[in-house]
Amino acid sequence: EGKLESASAGWERLLADDIEDQTAWAHLKQLRGRQDHPGGSPLAGQTLIEPEGVTWSRYELVREIGRGATSTVYLARDRTLGLLLALKVLHPDAGSGEEGRQFFAEARVVAGLRHPGVVAIYDLDPDTRTLVMEYLPAGSLRDRLMSARPAGLPAEQVFALARNLLATLAYVHAAGVVHGDITPRNILFRDAEQPVLADFGSARVLGTSLGELAGGTPLYLAPEQLAGEPSTPLTDLFSLGAVLWEAWVGRPMRQHAELLAGRRGSRPLPDELARVHAGLSALIAALTQELPDRRALGARQASLR
């Protein structure tokens, strides 16, 4: 049906259960090869249907670039400015009632964040269930990890990623916001070197009720989140540590089967990698500590040389 991003997301969910599923990897590689280039026209044979009940005069849809349980993201062209933008459109059932109200309340808070490592939000419109965001053309960390399979990324690349994202989280947390769902799919790139935190759909605003019941991706959640506690700056640190572990090793730190069996902790890095870059190894070990208070302390003490 031409729904390439939706199909890719389905195969990625299977890989979350079994990272070695060769059938899933084969389908993902085929789908990635068929995806249109950024800024291109809709895929041949694909009819781009505007979201149910939504009509814009300002935006021209180019193609669908992502679909989830509550929203679809489109690449669009601003007819007035000629810019490419990303439009996140909530599905009708998610855009109404309390869920929609909370989504746009959180979006207003995130729109106030101004940092190179945070996706820029330009506008929002609850009437059309639309969030207008910066379009980031350089792909996601998930794309890079797929290209590197079965190995992970070089230590220096992971180390640079860690430094950039820690600086971004320091800014976000100081502004009173917790991301709540840091995963390879939610880390995009503005260019080859600049990682950007995106998809604050599970964000929590500290000191308010916003995001108190927000979810996240179980594979990357901290043990206390899996036990039902709300997200905090320390749970963001754990999630980042799990992402860095996967980026370096080439496979997730945990699998869903382990979580279902009640094993919620972290896993040490393979010895051969731990010896390659002592500073990065120490940082990842600190971020993925099971006890929350040890994460921040360990992260401050870990060598970043």
Side-chain angles (χ1 to χ4, degrees), residues 9 65-73 86-90 103 106-107 110-111 113 117-121 131 133-134 136 140 168-169 172 177-189 195-204 214-217 231 236:
I65 56 178
R67 180 179 291 267
T70 61
S71 64
T72 300
V73 181
L87 304 185
K88 182 172 185 175
V89 185
L90 293 185
F103 173 84
E106 293 164 359
V110 176
L113 301 178
V118 177
V119 64
I121 296 177
L131 195 63
M133 302 179 295
E134 169 187 18
L136 297 165
S140 69
T168 299
L169 280 180
V172 170
V177 177
V178 176
H179 186 281
D181 193 22
I182 297 174
T183 72
R185 193 176 180 86
N186 289 341
I187 297 170
L188 306 180
F189 288 87
V196 178
L197 278 181
D199 199 348
F200 280 75
S202 294
R204 178 177 177 228
T217 306
S231 54
D236 273 355

Side-chain angles (χ1 to χ4, degrees), residues 130-273:
T130 302
L131 195 63
V132 183
M133 302 179 295
E134 169 187 18
Y135 173 56
L136 297 165
S140 69
L141 179 58
R142 172 59 67 214
D143 296 330
R144 295 192 181 191
L145 297 185
M146 285 176 56
S147 298
R149 285 276 304 163
L153 301 177
E156 290 303 327
Q157 286 188 29
V158 181
F159 183 64
L161 186 70
R163 296 186 71 165
N164 275 294
L165 291 173
L166 280 171
T168 299
L169 280 180
Y171 169 82
V172 170
H173 293 161
V177 177
V178 176
H179 186 281
D181 193 22
I182 297 174
T183 72
R185 193 176 180 86
N186 289 341
I187 297 170
L188 306 180
F189 288 87
R190 184 171 290 110
D191 52 43
E193 305 297 331
Q194 179 60 62
V196 178
L197 278 181
D199 199 348
F200 280 75
S202 294
R204 178 177 177 228
V205 180
L206 296 174
T208 76
S209 61
L210 292 181
E212 288 287 352
L213 301 178
T217 306
L219 206 61
Y220 304 94
L221 294 183
E224 61 270 27
Q225 286 174 292
L226 293 170
E229 297 181 21
S231 54
T232 69
L234 296 176
T235 61
D236 273 355
L237 290 182
F238 185 96
S239 297
L240 175 59
V243 167
L244 296 174
W245 198 103
E246 179 177 342
W248 199 10
V249 177
R251 63 179 186 275
M253 184 177 70
R254 305 179 293 194
Q255 293 187 345
H256 279 282
E258 294 177 297
L259 301 182
L260 292 173
R263 296 190 292 273
R264 298 170 175 170
S266 60
R267 178 177 294 161
L269 287 161
D271 290 340
E272 63 271 19
L273 287 182

Side-chain angles (χ1 to χ4, degrees), residues 69-71 90-106 201 210:
T70 61
S71 64
L90 293 185
H91 299 159
D93 55 345
S96 59
E98 179 59 25
E99 187 175 1
R101 187 200 67 79
Q102 178 165 304
F103 173 84
F104 285 105
E106 293 164 359
L210 292 181

